[in-house]
Amino acid sequence: MSTSAPVISFNDLRKSYGPLEVLRGITASLYKSDVVSIIGTSGCGKSTLLRCCNRLETINDGKLEVIGIDLSKPDITSKKLRTLRAKVGMVFQQFNLFPHLSVLENLMLAPSKVLKESKQECHERALHYLNKVGLSSKAEAYPEQLSGGQKQRVAIARSLCMNPEIMLFDEPTSALDPELVGEVLTVMKQLAEEGMTMVVVTHEMNFAREVANRVIFLNQGVVEEQGDAQEILTNPQSDRLKAFLSRMNN
């Protein structure tokens, strides 16, 4: 465990939608260069917890700090929100690429609009990250001309163009055909090896086992178990986690 300050800190975090309490007191700390897999059954609150980290969802109670920004406050300034979104990249299940823009234009848009960088800077960085995800040849293509795996790799490159400190992944392979999953996980594994701080909601137990250094298992809106990935996945303590891993491994 790092002795530095956590980059994400949850303390008794709670989130409700009307009478439905989805997150019921989440406490955890994530540190620089951690690769944390959040696992659990559908509907346990995984994606909601992730979306709280860049203020796509607001919390109802408790404390949440991300890169030193207090997201517990209901009146966060637009300037702090822009800082947060610039430093915390997010990759969704459904890619969310602009269909009317080329791959290159998709990557250049946010650095140009948000970071106010020059066209040349944006262009060079976009080409750099397209090369990083193995898609240099697709710079002038449009999203409809790409496979699902290629779209997701473009989405990852687009987030990287903002030079984020943290990357959030919400089930990044769940919308892909099985044969395309590997190409996306390979890019994510490379990012992890380079020290990128990552929080990954996933059903890919092989990724959690091979790449993550920590695992958080959510069950019905609470942290059932958390800790070292290898320890938790090979020696689960709770009956619920044992049952979950048994189903995932069959």
Side-chain angles (χ1 to χ4, degrees):
M1 183 65 70
S2 172
T3 55
S4 61
V7 292
I8 301 178
S9 177
F10 309 104
N11 190 358
D12 198 27
L13 183 149
R14 295 173 184 272
K15 171 66 183 176
S16 299
Y17 298 101
L20 177 64
E21 193 173 27
V22 178
L23 300 174
R24 301 187 293 125
I26 304 293
T27 297
S29 294
L30 285 60
Y31 295 85
K32 184 175 173 59
S33 298
D34 269 350
V35 179
V36 180
S37 285
I38 302 177
I39 63 174
T41 56
S42 296
C44 70
K46 304 185 301 294
S47 292
T48 300
L49 182 63
L50 197 73
R51 289 168 65 86
C52 288
C53 292
N54 70 346
R55 193 69 172 202
L56 290 176
E57 300 284 358
T58 56
I59 70 173
N60 294 97
D61 203 1
K63 185 90 169 176
L64 171 58
E65 283 196 12
V66 179
I67 57 170
I69 298 173
D70 186 354
L71 298 184
S72 316
K73 299 177 179 177
D75 56 347
I76 183 171
T77 65
S78 57
K79 182 179 180 181
K80 283 189 176 179
L81 199 55
R82 283 195 301 272
T83 299
L84 177 77
R85 298 267 169 82
K87 292 186 177 181
V88 181
M90 187 156 184
V91 177
F92 299 87
Q93 297 179 36
Q94 298 294 341
F95 328 126
N96 292 354
L97 300 175
F98 292 107
H100 64 290
L101 298 180
S102 70
V103 165
L104 198 63
E105 289 167 338
N106 265 281
L107 266 63
M108 292 173 62
L109 186 62
S112 171
K113 298 289 188 185
V114 180
L115 301 182
K116 308 297 184 187
E117 293 183 346
S118 70
K119 186 174 181 179
Q120 183 178 347
E121 283 179 300
C122 295
H123 187 268
E124 289 175 357
R125 189 180 301 165
L127 289 177
H128 170 76
Y129 283 115
L130 271 184
N131 182 60
K132 189 178 187 71
V133 300
L135 290 174
S136 297
S137 64
K138 300 294 185 181
E140 301 304 324
Y142 285 81
E144 65 180 12
Q145 299 170 302
L146 305 178
S147 70
Q150 289 171 334
K151 289 177 186 175
Q152 196 59 293
R153 284 189 281 157
V154 169
I156 293 172
R158 178 180 59 182
S159 284
L160 291 172
C161 281
M162 294 293 286
N163 285 335
E165 295 179 20
I166 301 170
M167 289 280 282
L168 309 176
F169 294 85
D170 188 8
E171 296 278 14
T173 59
S174 67
L176 302 180
D177 293 331
E179 65 270 19
L180 301 177
V181 169
E183 64 188 65
V184 175
L185 294 182
T186 296
V187 171
M188 293 171 65
K189 188 172 183 177
Q190 180 185 353
L191 291 176
E193 289 170 350
E194 293 170 358
M196 174 64 74
T197 306
M198 299 162 62
V199 188
V200 186
V201 169
T202 185
H203 283 106
E204 295 290 339
M205 290 301 108
N206 284 337
F207 177 86
R209 195 172 283 109
E210 294 171 17
V211 183
N213 67 311
R214 294 183 57 213
V215 164
I216 295 174
F217 172 58
L218 290 189
N219 179 61
Q220 297 181 343
V222 299
V223 176
E224 183 85 17
E225 244 181 273
Q226 65 173 315
D228 177 79
Q230 295 298 324
E231 178 66 23
I232 279 186
L233 295 175
T234 58
N235 187 30
Q237 299 300 302
S238 75
D239 290 339
R240 289 189 180 95
L241 180 52
K242 290 175 185 176
F244 173 78
L245 291 175
S246 177
R247 288 195 302 275
M248 296 303 293
N249 292 329
N250 287 337

